[in-house]
Amino acid sequence: MTAGRRSRRRRRPARTRGMLALHEIDGLEADEALQAVVTRVARRMGTEVATLYAYDPDRERLVLAATHGLARSAIGFVTLALGEGISGEAALRRSPVAAADVGRDPQFKIIPGFDQSRYRSILAVPVSHRGELLGVLNVQTVAPREYGPADRDLLCRLADEVARHLARTGRDGHLALRLRGPTLLSTLSGMVAASGGRTEVCVRVLAELAVVLPEADTAIALSPGRHDAEPVLIAPDGGSDVHPDLAAALHGGPPAAEDAVLVLPLGRDGDRHGLLALRSAKGAGSWRDPAVRHYLESVAEQLGLALERLPDPAAAPAAAPEPERSTGEPGLYDRLVAVVLDDRGLEALVAEASAACGTWFGVVDCFGTPLAGTVDGEVSAELPLHPAESPPGRLLVGPAPPPEDDLAVIAHVVALELAKWKAAFEVESRLRGDVLDLLLSDDADPREALPRASLVGLNLARPYRPVWFGYAGEGEDGALAARSRAEIVRRALGEPPQVVLFQRPHGILALVDEAVGDVEARARAAARHLAAVLRGRAVGVGCGTPVVWPDGFRAAVRRAELASDLGRRLGHPGPVDVGRLGVYGLLLELDETAWRAFVTEQLGPLLDHDAATGGELVRTLEAYHCLRGGLRAVADALFVHVNTLKYRLARIDALTGGRFSSPSGRFQMYLALYALRLLEPERPSLLADEAVAGLPPATHGPDGPGAR
């Protein structure tokens, strides 16, 4: 009994740490910690979805901060006013609000591109700390559900834990401030679409900064487009009268790090577009906060990207009038821009254009893969789409196209929406890549790895099978093309959490839950589709064995990558199982320079002889290896007499300095034959490619299968 009491006393402190055990995620970055929080809330409540909105008091709006079960690419983009929707109403009332079936509740607000119609119920509770509203926490389920007092009480207690976490970490990290970065991308795209020029966009950005940082003076120096002209200074009121410290910094370059003035280049290409300068009334050290600095760098970079999409004033005469944006449909520009700013998505944008112009439109990527709209039917025109990189695709136009000016407007706004896609995909890929790098590291701490893996949908207690899709030339088509390739693999293998994808430098890694069946057949279908869209670039697929992290995880992923590399090099269209890698697995760990040196050392005289005489000494060595030295079988396979075979073997031994007569020398020559296959896969070979063709290993006896 005494021991039992002691045992209970030891467990009691663990219970005081809360139902969400948030102490386990203290080491994570704020954004990742919030993702872990909502995942734990969903599991504790037994719901498919949990979502956290952070309250931005400067704007008096709720900003999506984290979600489990809905599109994470919407984080920072989706906002709600107080009283808007179920979550906004919970924030306004400071009390729980529920809807058993949102289809019957007029207060529920559909957010296109984020909410999914299959989720029917919702319960939202405010997240408050010492009377201050910090946000809203909600949960959703697929089936209609009545939330009783016990449900509301449980979610309120979880919200109290989340509130203490936000009060401790969110304020210091300026959570709402960081979440404005993605929102600004959408806002800037709309500014560009609806603006009258570069000055208007800059003035509106300065107005944004005035709300966020009211204690700071701000100014922008726009590059004039000519090396012999002075930069154009822009103040928040649109004039050129800026604070003297800012003017000096903008004309004289960045000040010392300890100064109260911060100068940032616009965009990623230095000061080609101009500079953003801020002066804090709080003095030196005001810009050392990492969250504030990150936000301001995001603003400067996105403003630079926006300026790239605006006409260069130096490229045309100043007196040239601007062309009318739309001649056939008044208000078309405003209608389309409203869709972009409301974050309703690409499909809604294309539908709005189709309704406005009376014809269908479709969007395809650089591979021709449909992204939105209609792509089946008579195409009267195709327009290239130019976001911030090389053209990712085309706008397809159906019969009876609208005027050319309207087409140009539609193509421009669709390209802006694609730029948002690109940004969201890059952020998601970076997050997933960081998680995978952690899982593949030698010294990963499970206390850090487990919650971070849950952010991308991995349950590290379950076994996953690595499936690697490899191809050459990764990155040359841009982020949107990479997104389309990932979509091909996702559709073939399955949806998360059963299948979780990671974009890698030379392909795509899929971690497939062990319960998923027909993996080889699905992978083969994905490889065929990838080969079609990659237009001639070889695709290899490597299928690993199920593994539970961390035991053998890194090795399993690496072997799947090697199997993919082997299939790609040898032109095999189907999956290569890692169990059939054999000696290729050793060779592929080395680079081609090492292969070539080894082949030259071991087989150089034979290759030179065959090239000069048209002989078949290398082919003879292959046959002798595959058939385990059975002279009659080897002679039959080569269609030569046994005496001819003996002469060739003697010639091989002589040219290689007696190496063929030595078992160790012969073994090294056999290894060199496999390296030669990798270097010259187009060369006819008698080697049994068990890994590729699925043939049984070469275990024939001395007389071989062709003996008589």
Side-chain angles (χ1 to χ4, degrees), residues 531-553:
V533 301
L534 286 169
R535 298 172 183 170
R537 280 151 57 182
V539 177
V541 184
C543 288
T545 55
V547 62
V548 178
W549 187 88
D551 298 331
F553 182 82

Side-chain angles (χ1 to χ4, degrees), residues 266-312:
L266 301 181
R268 301 174 181 173
D269 302 326
D271 59 356
R272 183 166 68 91
H273 297 292
L275 297 168
L276 167 67
L278 304 99
R279 173 188 172 276
S280 173
K282 296 180 179 179
S286 300
W287 311 116
R288 293 176 185 171
D289 187 308
V292 176
R293 185 69 176 250
H294 175 76
Y295 173 69
L296 293 174
E297 289 173 349
S298 174
V299 171
E301 179 177 327
Q302 292 176 46
L303 178 55
L305 292 174
L307 294 174
E308 283 184 5
R309 296 193 289 268
L310 285 168
D312 186 347

Side-chain angles (χ1 to χ4, degrees), residues 366-646:
C366 62
F367 302 128
T369 306
L371 299 179
T374 303
V375 295
D376 225 3
E378 180 185 349
V379 177
S380 64
E382 295 187 15
L383 282 76
L385 297 171
H386 296 267
E389 57 178 62
S390 60
R394 305 181 305 280
L395 176 70
L396 308 183
V397 187
E404 289 187 6
D405 286 342
D406 284 350
L407 285 180
V409 166
I410 296 169
H412 180 64
V413 180
V414 168
L416 295 179
E417 182 67 22
L418 287 177
K420 288 169 53 183
W421 269 34
K422 173 179 177 288
F425 177 76
E426 287 177 336
V427 170
E428 182 78 5
S429 296
R430 194 177 306 118
L431 168 66
R432 291 175 179 271
D434 291 345
V435 171
L436 183 61
D437 289 341
L438 173 65
L439 298 181
L440 294 176
S441 64
D442 292 326
D443 55 351
D445 186 346
R447 291 174 298 178
E448 180 184 5
L450 291 173
R452 291 186 64 177
S454 70
L455 301 183
V456 298
L458 287 176
N459 179 2
L460 294 184
R462 293 189 57 80
Y464 286 92
R465 182 178 187 181
V467 181
W468 193 287
F469 297 83
Y471 37 81
E474 169 66 10
E476 64 187 36
D477 300 314
L480 289 170
R483 184 186 188 278
S484 295
R485 287 191 290 263
E487 184 69 11
I488 288 172
V489 174
R490 184 191 63 78
R491 289 176 180 175
L493 292 186
E495 300 284 345
Q498 285 74 29
V499 179
V500 180
L501 302 183
F502 298 88
Q503 202 74 33
R504 304 305 285 170
H506 301 292
I508 298 171
L509 171 65
L511 294 182
V512 183
D513 191 287
E514 186 184 34
V516 176
D518 299 325
V519 174
E520 287 81 2
R522 298 183 186 197
R524 185 177 291 107
R528 282 198 302 267
H529 197 170
L530 284 173
V533 301
L534 286 169
R535 298 172 183 170
R537 280 151 57 182
V539 177
V541 184
C543 288
T545 55
V547 62
V548 178
W549 187 88
D551 298 331
F553 182 82
R554 179 178 180 179
V557 171
R558 176 59 179 161
R559 286 182 63 78
E561 181 182 8
L562 295 178
S564 166
D565 193 16
L566 177 62
R568 179 179 63 83
R569 288 177 180 277
L570 299 186
H572 182 58
V576 176
D577 190 276
V578 296
R580 296 184 176 273
L581 271 174
V583 70
Y584 287 121
L586 298 175
L587 292 171
L588 288 167
E589 290 286 5
L590 307 174
D591 59 26
E592 291 192 16
T593 303
W595 302 346
R596 198 169 298 281
F598 185 59
V599 168
T600 301
E601 176 188 350
Q602 299 295 325
L603 303 178
L606 306 185
L607 292 168
D608 293 342
H609 174 275
D610 288 351
T613 65
E616 293 190 330
L617 295 186
V618 172
R619 182 177 174 85
T620 300
L621 183 63
E622 287 178 343
Y624 190 85
H625 165 54
C626 293
L627 298 176
R628 297 291 180 88
L631 295 182
R632 186 176 297 246
V634 174
D636 288 346
L638 296 173
F639 301 101
V640 299
H641 194 274
V642 172
N643 290 338
T644 302
L645 173 62
K646 291 179 179 179

Side-chain angles (χ1 to χ4, degrees), residues 13 19 120 135 142 147 208 229 314 325 357:
M19 294 177 287
R120 303 290 297 278
V142 172
Y147 293 97
E208 163 88 11
R325 289 193 176 96
C357 298

